[in-house]
């Protein structure tokens, strides 16, 4: 019985392999993709948030206008669960999506496990030539291109212009200034100065970059989270909360942060361009001009925010790779990127997109573009994504005062070395 | 007087036990007798076995599917889990099929290395201590509350059925829905609990943000989820206690506490022993409450053994299947040891179980 199934599967596999090869050849030789011979279903797992998803679904389904025989199946997977869900689907092969929207930190991980289909050569060349170089870097693993950057982002300091003006303070440039500003805001309005997310270690990165540190030094295969700068960063985090300059939560931090900022309970928060559409929906920002964005406040060394963003990648086991790659190319095309910049204030990854009037006129894009250019590029190693979980545990402990900054840094280092076997 | 009653109850129970044992003994004897007779008649032992199968083939046939299914869905994963815990299997080296490509497994047998590394890590002891505290707290509170409520509901009063329905409700709601609802209630900035406290002029409580309060919160939610089961089981037990015993005790002038102590508790013993065992095993492995309410946090302060095993397998990357299996096997061993000790202590108390 089992052997029978296996034999059938083998035959089917061989047949598929043969057709897949044929398809690839045609693509490479004739570039007939636009000819409309593509057909079938492309399932796309998108991780956009609630404020963004309707826009993306509309854009994705418009692909059918170009390729009438291709049906796009749009599935929204909440970002928080996505990495796990994608891995489950990819490793079991059943019900796996054809295209995923992967956080830039996941690409190397998925590629190293063999889950991703390489980007076709002609598209890979375009990625090198037409995209922002730091965005293109995130889609590569061991010199090959596995993903096409869809959006790029970084963190900035969002502030409520009116609240700051009422308290008579300027947008702070350093964490010291955040403290003074917060004290003034508290005195004048009774509200909190800064909301600093305490349940996600991505929000810890500006603090550690601010002290001149980093999580790891990939070139020298060294864990650096527990060095002097790292300890200082944990101290800063604790100090911001303990001094009352910042409020935080150890659970549901993102939702609480957005609520606090949108309702004026907190005057500032650190967040990225993906939050702009949702923030505009808040009471305080009915007049969009009330939202101001500045660079993340500097620590004792400099101001630094991490480079983030999302790439689109094709599952290596997809039955419809030709259509899937065409879909990725479409979703990362200039017109789609300009559209999402206009509607959602998301940053394009194509250099030329920044010349478009719709993009130029977007205040958020105008602010975030220089920030992205200066953003700290992370180490694109497979373990990139897994470092955040143990770091989160220690960050939460440190920020809530459950353990000392020194212990938190030390434990994070221990956990990192368990993940990065053989690193110093 | 009360003492007398309790003695007679105990004696009656003892008689029951004796009768039961005797009955079992008799039936066992009968079996072997018939076996012998069969053997005598057939002349050989083997044919005795064949005969037994022949006579009871339908019983075997009935049991076979169950054995088969249990073997497939429990036995095989168990064996496989134990085997994996002795290897270095991770996401990178297990066999997997990606579309048309099949990647062969390359993991190796490493003996007890995983156990050594888990047991020598202080994390294991931390998790074990909190898991035990969590289990004991949850089971004892749930049991006490369930017992009180069952006693209250066992009386005749107006609207009894409605109260029973209301108290069963938490059990009818899917667990994850309840837990998410509680998560909203516990939210420090925007949760209803803190809004109510605020209305009363009390400062907000960091329900899920402070390690101690988070522990309190997970226990509270688990108790809330567990009480209906306890209540129903104990209510069933209460109703099986003959009313005459209470009447007799009352005639003898026993106070209500004496009646509870000497009739209710002994009468409930077999039921309560069972529900406590079940509840202990469930609570020990209660994944959803912890995972959905706090994700083991803040930090790792509410992480129990099961959620830690999940963390090893599904949160770290590459997923460490071997380490997760090791945690799983250790959890199983702990529960088996607990069940054995529990059973032995019941035996000592004269309970046949």
């Amino acid at each position: 019985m089992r052997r029978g199934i296996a034999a059938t599967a083998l035959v089917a596999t061989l047949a598929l392999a043969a057709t897949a090869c044929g398809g690839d050849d045609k693509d490479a030789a004739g570039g007939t993709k636009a000819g409309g011979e593509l057909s079938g279903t492309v399932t796309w797992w998108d991780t956009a948030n609630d404020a963004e998803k309707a826009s993306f679904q509309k854009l994705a389904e418009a692909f059918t206008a170009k390729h009438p025989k291709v049906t796009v199946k749009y599935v929204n997977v909440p970002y928080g669960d996505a990495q796990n869900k994608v891995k489950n689907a990819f490793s079991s092969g059943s019900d796996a999506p054809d295209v995923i929207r992967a956080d830039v930190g996941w690409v190397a991980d998925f590629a190293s496990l063999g889950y991703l289909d390489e980007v076709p050569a002609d598209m890979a060349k375009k990625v090198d030539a037409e995209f922002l170089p730091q965005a293109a870097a995130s889609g590569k693993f061991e010199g090959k291109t596995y993903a096409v950057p869809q959006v790029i982002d970084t963190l900035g300091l969002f502030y409520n212009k009116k609240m700051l003006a009422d308290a008579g303070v300027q947008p702070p440039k350093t964490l010291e200034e955040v403290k003074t500003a917060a004290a003034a805001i508290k005195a004048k309005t009774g509200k909190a100065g800064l909301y600093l997310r305490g349940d996600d270690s991505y929000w810890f990165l500006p603090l550690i970059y601010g002290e001149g540190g980093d999580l790891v030094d990939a070139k020298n295969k060294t864990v650096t989270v527990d060095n002097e700068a790292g300890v200082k960063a944990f101290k800063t985090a604790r100090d911001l909360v303990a001094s009352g300059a910042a409020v935080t939560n150890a659970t549901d931090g993102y939702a609480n942060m957005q609520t606090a900022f949108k309702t004026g309970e907190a005057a500032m928060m650190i967040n990225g361009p993906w939050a702009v559409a949702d923030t505009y929906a808040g009471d305080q920002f009915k007049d969009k001009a009330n939202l101001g964005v500045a660079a993340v406040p500097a620590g004792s060394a400099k101001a630094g925010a991490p480079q983030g963003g999302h790439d689109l990648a094709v599952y290596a086991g997809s039955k419809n790779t030709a259509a899937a790659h065409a879909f990725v190319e479409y979703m990362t095309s200039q017109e789609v990127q300009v559209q999402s910049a206009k509607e959602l204030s998301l940053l394009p990854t194509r250099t030329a997109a920044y010349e478009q009037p719709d993009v130029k006129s977007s205040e958020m894009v105008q602010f975030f573009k220089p920030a992205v250019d200066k953003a700290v590029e992370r180490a694109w190693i497979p373990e990139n994504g897994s470092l955040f979980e143990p770091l989160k545990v220690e960050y939460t402990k440190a920020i809530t005062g459950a353990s000392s900054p020194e212990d938190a840094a030390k434990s994070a280092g221990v956990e990192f070395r368990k993940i990065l076997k053989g690193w110093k | 007087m009360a003492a007398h009653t309790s003695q007679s109850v105990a004696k009656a129970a003892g008689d029951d036990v004796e009768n039961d044992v005797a009955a079992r003994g008799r039936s066992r004897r009968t079996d072997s007798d018939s076996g012998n007779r069969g053997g005598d008649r057939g002349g050989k032992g083997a044919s005795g076995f064949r005969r037994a199968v022949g006579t009871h083939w339908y019983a075997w046939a009935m049991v076979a599917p169950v054995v088969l299914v249990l073997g497939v869905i429990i036995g095989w994963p168990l064996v496989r889990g134990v085997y994996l815990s002795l290897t270095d299997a991770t996401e990178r080296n297990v066999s997997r099929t990606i579309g048309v490509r099949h990647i062969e497994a390359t993991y190796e047998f490493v003996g007890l290395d995983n156990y050594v590394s888990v047991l020598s890590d202080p994390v294991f002891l931390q998790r074990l201590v909190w898991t035990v505290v969590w289990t004991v707290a949850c089971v004892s509170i749930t049991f006490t509350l369930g017992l009180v409520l069952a006693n209250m509901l066992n009386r005749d009063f107006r609207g009894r059925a409605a109260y029973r329905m209301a108290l069963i409700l938490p059990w009818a709601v899917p667990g994850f829905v309840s837990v998410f609802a509680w998560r909203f209630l516990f939210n420090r900035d925007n949760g209803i609990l803190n809004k109510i406290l605020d209305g009363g002029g009390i400062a907000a409580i960091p329900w899920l943000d402070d390690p101690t309060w988070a522990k309190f919160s997970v226990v509270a939610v688990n108790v809330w989820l567990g009480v209906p089961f306890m209540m129903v089981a104990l209510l069933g037990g209460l109703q099986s206690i003959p009313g005459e015993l209470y009447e007799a005790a009352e005639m003898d002038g026993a106070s209500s506490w004496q009646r509870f102590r000497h009739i209710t508790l002994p009468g409930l013993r077999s039921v309560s022993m069972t529900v406590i065992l079940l509840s202990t095993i469930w609570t020990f492995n209660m994944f959803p409450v912890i995972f959905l309410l706090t994700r083991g946090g803040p930090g790792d302060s509410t992480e129990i053994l099961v959620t830690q095993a999940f963390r090893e397998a599904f949160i770290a990357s590459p997923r460490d299947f071997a380490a997760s299996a090791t945690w799983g096997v250790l959890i199983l061993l702990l529960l088996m040891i607990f069940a054995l000790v529990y059973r032995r202590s019941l035996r000592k108390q004269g309970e046949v179980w």
Side-chain angles (χ1 to χ4, degrees):
Chain A
M1 186 72 163
R2 276 196 71 86
R3 194 170 295 169
I5 293 171
T8 321
L10 187 68
V11 172
T13 311
L14 289 173
L16 273 173
T19 48
C21 292
D24 278 356
D25 288 343
K26 213 191 300 171
D27 279 354
T32 44
K33 270 184 212 160
E37 95 283 20
L38 292 174
S39 61
T41 305
V42 174
T43 304
W44 180 38
W45 281 13
D46 175 36
T47 56
N49 62 36
D50 286 345
E52 299 167 341
K53 64 186 182 191
S55 256
F56 275 133
Q57 177 161 14
K58 216 174 67 204
L59 286 170
E61 283 166 358
F63 181 67
T64 312
K66 303 208 159 173
H67 300 281
K69 285 188 189 149
V70 180
T71 322
V72 175
K73 206 175 139 208
Y74 176 91
V75 183
N76 188 272
V77 183
Y79 174 79
D81 311 331
Q83 193 177 9
N84 241 325
K85 274 202 175 158
V86 168
K87 277 192 164 190
N88 287 346
F90 280 0
S91 59
S92 73
S94 58
D95 294 324
D98 302 295
V99 178
I100 54 156
R101 183 183 198 235
D103 183 282
V104 287
W106 305 344
V107 174
D109 184 25
F110 292 165
S112 73
L113 291 166
Y115 291 152
L116 301 184
D117 200 35
E118 231 184 290
V119 172
D122 54 337
M123 187 61 202
K125 262 184 223 148
K126 279 189 203 160
V127 170
D128 287 337
E130 297 168 16
F131 285 66
L132 298 172
Q134 71 271 42
S138 72
K140 289 186 180 170
F141 177 66
E142 291 180 346
K144 291 176 180 168
T145 306
Y146 286 95
V148 184
Q150 183 204 16
V151 296
I152 187 166
D153 58 46
T154 190
L155 293 171
L157 181 77
F158 285 49
Y159 61 90
N160 187 326
K161 284 185 188 162
K162 188 169 174 301
M163 283 179 82
L164 259 60
D166 286 351
V169 290
Q170 292 294 313
K173 291 206 169 56
T174 65
L175 290 169
E176 283 307 313
E177 287 178 31
V178 167
K179 280 172 137 183
T180 18
I185 292 163
K186 189 99 188 168
K188 280 273 164 54
T189 63
K191 308 290 185 191
L194 173 73
Y195 192 109
L196 180 62
R197 205 179 161 194
D199 65 336
D200 191 326
S201 42
Y202 192 68
W203 273 253
F204 175 65
L205 296 179
L207 299 179
I208 193 166
Y209 295 152
E211 301 302 331
D214 200 344
L215 301 184
V216 295
D217 175 0
K219 259 190 207 129
N220 299 313
K221 297 207 163 195
T222 310
V223 172
T224 53
V225 70
D226 52 355
N227 66 15
E228 208 180 317
V231 175
K232 237 172 158 184
F234 280 108
K235 265 189 192 144
T236 315
R238 176 65 194 144
D239 181 47
L240 278 171
V241 172
S243 70
V247 286
T248 189
N249 275 87
T251 40
D252 290 325
Y254 192 81
N256 283 331
M257 171 166 73
Q258 281 298 110
T259 311
F261 189 67
K262 277 154 69 180
T263 57
E265 286 298 315
M268 298 177 275
M269 68 169 174
I270 291 175
N271 217 331
W274 62 83
V276 173
D278 182 46
T279 305
Y280 279 148
D283 282 348
Q284 292 281 319
F285 304 98
K286 280 196 179 125
D287 173 15
K288 288 186 178 179
N290 193 32
L291 175 64
V293 188
V296 290
S300 61
K302 58 166 186 173
Q307 182 208 321
H310 296 275
D311 297 350
L312 294 181
V314 173
Y315 175 43
S318 165
K319 293 196 179 76
N320 207 353
T321 44
H325 283 299
F327 177 73
V328 169
E329 190 167 357
Y330 160 78
M331 282 305 285
T332 54
S333 66
Q334 180 129 322
E335 49 171 313
V336 172
Q337 292 201 353
V338 168
Q339 199 68 16
S340 56
K342 189 178 145 194
E343 287 175 20
L344 308 166
S345 310
L346 295 175
L347 271 61
T349 49
R350 281 178 184 266
T351 324
Y354 288 92
E355 302 306 321
Q356 297 294 311
D358 275 341
V359 177
K360 269 192 168 167
S361 66
S362 165
E363 200 192 333
M364 289 301 139
V365 173
Q366 285 310 305
F367 165 74
F368 272 111
K369 177 62 175 44
V372 157
D373 288 340
K374 279 191 297 185
V376 182
E377 216 175 311
R378 287 181 277 156
W380 305 123
I381 48 173
E383 294 84 359
N384 195 323
S386 11
L387 296 180
F388 284 103
E389 188 58 28
L391 184 62
K392 181 189 95 178
V393 170
E394 300 308 328
Y395 174 54
T396 306
K397 277 186 180 172
I399 201 169
T400 56
S403 79
S404 73
E406 289 80 7
D407 287 348
K410 206 174 135 200
S411 309
V414 170
E415 291 301 319
F416 277 21
R417 286 185 187 89
K418 274 190 207 164
I419 295 169
L420 300 162
K421 290 191 178 87
W423 286 41
K424 271 181 280 176
Chain B
M1 277 302 179
H4 174 74
T5 321
S6 84
Q7 265 173 13
S8 65
V9 170
K11 195 157 170 281
D15 284 351
D16 272 358
V17 171
E18 271 167 33
N19 284 338
D20 193 28
V21 171
R24 284 195 189 196
R26 269 199 298 281
S27 69
R28 218 173 280 148
R29 258 198 306 282
T30 326
D31 280 356
S32 59
D33 281 355
S34 72
N36 281 339
R37 268 203 301 281
D40 288 340
R41 230 177 269 160
K44 273 186 284 177
S47 75
F49 173 74
R50 203 179 303 150
R51 199 186 144 74
V53 172
T55 332
H56 300 296
W57 65 268
Y58 50 89
W60 290 108
M62 297 270 183
V63 169
V66 178
V67 172
L68 201 74
V69 169
L70 284 183
V72 171
I73 66 172
I74 295 178
W76 167 239
L78 190 66
V79 170
R80 174 116 185 109
V82 172
Y83 170 70
L84 279 181
S85 73
L86 302 172
T87 66
D88 60 356
T90 67
E91 199 173 11
R92 289 201 195 289
N93 57 21
V94 294
S95 72
R96 53 194 187 275
T97 306
I98 301 166
V100 293
R101 279 189 307 142
H102 184 77
I103 300 169
E104 287 299 329
T106 52
Y107 57 84
E108 282 162 9
F109 189 82
V110 295
L112 293 174
D113 283 7
N114 291 317
Y115 290 92
V116 171
S117 67
V118 168
L119 292 174
S120 61
D121 192 339
V123 169
F124 181 78
L125 195 64
Q126 282 169 26
R127 299 286 179 273
L128 180 62
V129 169
W130 162 240
T131 310
V132 171
V133 172
W134 142 266
T135 310
V136 171
C138 284
V139 174
S140 54
I141 299 172
T142 313
F143 180 75
T144 316
L145 272 179
L147 188 60
V148 170
L149 288 173
N151 268 295
M152 283 163 66
L153 288 179
N154 197 29
R155 296 161 196 213
D156 255 328
F157 58 90
R158 195 192 287 265
R160 189 167 76 159
Y163 281 107
R164 283 192 186 175
M165 285 287 286
L167 284 164
I168 291 282
L169 208 64
W171 204 19
V173 179
F176 73 95
V177 175
S178 310
V179 178
F180 278 131
W182 277 99
R183 192 170 164 155
F184 283 121
L185 299 180
F186 279 136
N187 190 312
R188 194 185 63 190
D189 296 343
N190 308 304
I192 293 179
L193 288 180
N194 278 344
K195 291 253 157 80
I196 294 171
L197 287 180
D198 194 37
I202 302 168
I205 291 174
W207 297 107
L208 303 176
D209 290 355
D210 173 79
T212 316
W213 278 111
K215 284 176 178 168
F216 172 86
S217 305
V218 287
V219 170
V221 171
N222 195 43
V223 166
W224 191 81
L225 285 173
V227 160
F229 167 75
M230 280 288 182
M231 194 189 71
V232 171
L234 293 173
L235 198 54
L238 284 177
Q239 284 169 352
S240 71
I241 301 174
E244 291 82 21
L245 291 176
Y246 290 102
E247 276 170 35
E250 224 164 316
M251 296 281 272
D252 291 340
S255 70
S256 59
W257 170 248
Q258 281 171 324
R259 273 176 280 150
F260 176 74
R261 171 92 179 68
H262 298 292
I263 303 176
T264 310
L265 282 186
L268 279 180
R269 171 170 267 174
S270 57
V271 175
S272 47
M273 288 302 147
T274 311
V275 291
I276 286 176
L277 178 70
L278 283 178
S279 173
T280 305
I281 292 173
W282 287 339
T283 311
F284 199 86
N285 283 336
M286 182 53 82
F287 179 81
V289 170
I290 303 264
F291 185 76
L292 298 178
L293 200 64
T294 63
R295 295 244 163 182
D300 52 2
S301 55
T302 55
E303 201 90 65
I304 57 172
L305 292 170
V306 186
T307 54
Q308 180 72 33
F310 177 83
R311 190 182 275 266
E312 301 286 339
F314 293 107
I315 292 180
S317 180
R319 296 173 171 184
D320 195 342
F321 299 130
S324 186
T326 310
W327 283 82
V329 171
L330 286 170
I331 291 167
L332 183 70
L333 283 177
L334 284 167
L335 283 175
M336 274 163 63
I337 292 167
F338 165 77
L340 283 178
V341 171
Y342 190 80
R343 197 171 153 223
R344 180 162 295 179
S345 76
L346 286 189
R347 275 246 186 87
K348 269 196 191 136
Q349 293 174 28
E351 201 79 35
V352 179
W353 198 74

